[in-house]
């Protein structure tokens, strides 16, 4: 695999043409909403009443230019690795001994998931933290996502990990940590494997994960079920409900990415609804609306990144192109690994240990969902700091 197509790293800024924003405003103003289904509830999709509210806020109150300017305060870059354009943020800490940290997002997320944690991670001194726990952060957009889109076939977790290792090499980092959730939780351990890191040698000194780590998809016998804790049984039952009630989006994106791409790339409200459905399902608490958990700006900026780059199809295609590689079991690397499982996620330690050398496992009850860095930035930063303090 050629990872050195062009080693040039060039600065990048978000500069969306005004014509694109005018086109979006026109489309939103002309939205043709569906008639509500019986009950107009979340069990059949995004309620039309809520969709109307979000579209009106997007059209009349959301300010992309303000968000664009805020994002542009962070250094961004483009490079090409293995024939793929890679967009990334690279924010160096003012602390000279900071540890480099590679952060990988998931779906339906983007690099914007991490905007609220960049300051505390890179400059803890300015955020009430210990300067000895500072990080240089590197936040790439996954192939096919956002400003790294579009993509070609074959970009599974292992191939992305090789690209990420090459990115860190180009940046001059010989020793670093990795962190990820959702898709990023699949990619991050692979960076350790791709670099031959084993806990004593190799550049990856630690792996920090959040999300659904150690999900059980095998048949659970009576003896095994009896050995589970109450928390583990609750998570197991929620995995079962996910498989029967929420798996439709995986089937569509994994088998017909071109279909979903055609539908969402032409309709901003379609793109919005597709993402809102998952934000509602995966944020915590369950009785709050997505904008109440994430805030209007963070929520809509994530949607905007998909819309403005036209990457609904290419981000879905990654699941199609990767085939079974995401779930292929692999032995632990030996690299110390920390996992934080917030209340709405379903990670189970005993199953995670088959593929990871778990040295820290944190169950958070009563707070937080799938989008850890956006939902619970303070708890996320604290856990990252505490874990990597043990491996620096």
């Amino acid at each position: 695999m050629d990872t050195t197509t062009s080693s040039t790293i060039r600065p990048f800024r978000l500069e969306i043409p005004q014509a694109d924003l005018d086109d979006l405003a026109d489309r939103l103003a002309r939205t043709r909403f569906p008639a509500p289904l019986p009950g107009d509830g979340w069990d059949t999709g995004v309620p039309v009443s809520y969709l109307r509210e979000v579209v009106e806020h997007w059209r009349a109150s959301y300010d992309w230019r303000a968000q664009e300017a805020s994002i542009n305060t962070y250094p961004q870059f483009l490079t090409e690795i293995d024939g793929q354009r890679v967009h990334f943020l690279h924010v160096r800490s003012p602390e000279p001994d900071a540890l480099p940290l590679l952060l990988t997002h998931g779906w339906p997320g983007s690099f914007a998931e991490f905007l609220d944690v960049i300051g505390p991670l890179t400059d803890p001194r300015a955020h009430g933290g210990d300067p000895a726990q500072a990080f240089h952060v590197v936040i790439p957009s996954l192939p096919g996502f956002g400003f790294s889109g579009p993509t070609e076939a074959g970009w599974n977790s292992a191939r992305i990990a090789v690209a990420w290792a090459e990115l860190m090499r180009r940046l001059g980092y010989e020793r670093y940590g990795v962190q990820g959730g959702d898709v990023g939780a699949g990619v991050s351990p692979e960076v350790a494997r791709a670099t031959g890191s084993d806990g004593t040698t190799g550049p990856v000194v630690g792996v920090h994960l959040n999300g659904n780590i150690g999900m059980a998809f095998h048949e659970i016998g009576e003896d095994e079920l009896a050995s589970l804790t109450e928390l583990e049984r609750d998570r197991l039952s929620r995995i079962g409900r996910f498989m029967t009630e929420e798996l439709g989006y995986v089937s569509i994106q994994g088998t017909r990415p071109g279909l979903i791409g055609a539908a969402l790339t032409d309709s901003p409200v379609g793109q919005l609804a597709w993402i809102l459905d998952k934000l509602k399902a995966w944020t915590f608490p369950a009785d709050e609306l997505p904008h109440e958990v994430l805030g209007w700006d963070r929520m809509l900026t994530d949607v905007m990144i998909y819309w403005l780059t036209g990457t609904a199809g290419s981000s879905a295609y990654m699941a199609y192109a990767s085939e079974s590689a995401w779930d292929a079991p692999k032995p632990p690397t030996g690299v110390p690994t920390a996992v934080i499982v917030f209340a709405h996620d379903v990670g189970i330690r005993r199953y995670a240990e088959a593929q990871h050398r778990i040295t820290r496992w944190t169950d958070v009850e009563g707070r937080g969902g799938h989008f850890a860095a956006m939902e619970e930035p303070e708890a996320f930063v604290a856990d990252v700091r505490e874990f990597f303090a043990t491996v620096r």
Side-chain angles (χ1 to χ4, degrees), residues 89 111 150 302 318:
L89 279 65
F111 69 88
D302 185 59
M318 197 169 67

Side-chain angles (χ1 to χ4, degrees), residues 130-184:
D130 182 353
Q133 294 183 329
F135 299 90
H136 304 304
V137 300
V138 180
I139 309 173
S141 296
L142 286 163
F145 287 69
F147 299 96
S148 287
T151 192
E152 61 179 20
W155 279 96
N156 58 26
S157 57
R159 186 175 178 185
I160 295 169
V162 172
W164 279 191
E166 171 62 15
L167 174 61
M168 297 302 276
R169 186 197 67 78
R170 290 184 189 181
L171 295 174
Y173 293 137
E174 298 178 350
R175 186 173 183 274
Y176 53 89
V178 294
Q179 198 288 325
D182 193 80
V183 176

Side-chain angles (χ1 to χ4, degrees), residues 161-319:
V162 172
W164 279 191
E166 171 62 15
L167 174 61
M168 297 302 276
R169 186 197 67 78
R170 290 184 189 181
L171 295 174
Y173 293 137
E174 298 178 350
R175 186 173 183 274
Y176 53 89
V178 294
Q179 198 288 325
D182 193 80
V183 176
V187 170
S188 296
E190 291 299 318
V191 179
R193 293 186 175 95
T195 56
S197 301
D198 61 8
T200 56
T201 61
V204 177
V205 299
V207 177
H208 185 281
L209 308 173
N210 65 274
N212 302 328
I213 316 304
M215 293 177 68
F217 295 116
H218 63 283
E219 184 175 348
I220 306 294
E222 291 185 7
D223 289 345
E224 184 177 349
L225 184 62
S227 72
L228 297 177
T229 66
E230 182 178 351
L231 179 63
E232 290 172 333
R233 283 195 295 272
D234 174 68
R235 290 177 178 171
L236 191 64
S237 70
R238 287 192 284 124
I239 292 171
R241 290 197 299 273
F242 171 83
M243 298 299 290
T244 58
E245 299 172 9
E246 292 189 44
L247 201 62
Y249 81 97
V250 175
S251 298
I252 294 173
Q253 294 201 154
T255 62
R256 292 294 185 271
L259 176 62
I260 203 68
L264 305 188
T265 301
D266 191 56
S267 170
V269 176
Q271 177 69 87
L272 171 67
W274 192 249
I275 291 178
L276 279 181
D277 182 64
K278 294 302 124 195
L279 296 183
K280 178 61 170 68
W282 298 344
T283 52
F284 184 90
D287 59 354
E288 291 193 7
L289 296 169
H291 75 272
E292 295 172 330
V293 178
L294 302 174
W296 285 112
D297 286 343
R298 283 288 177 264
M299 182 179 81
L300 288 173
T301 295
D302 185 59
V303 175
M304 284 288 281
I305 291 169
Y306 283 82
W307 171 255
L308 294 171
T309 59
T311 49
S314 59
S315 58
Y317 183 74
M318 197 169 67

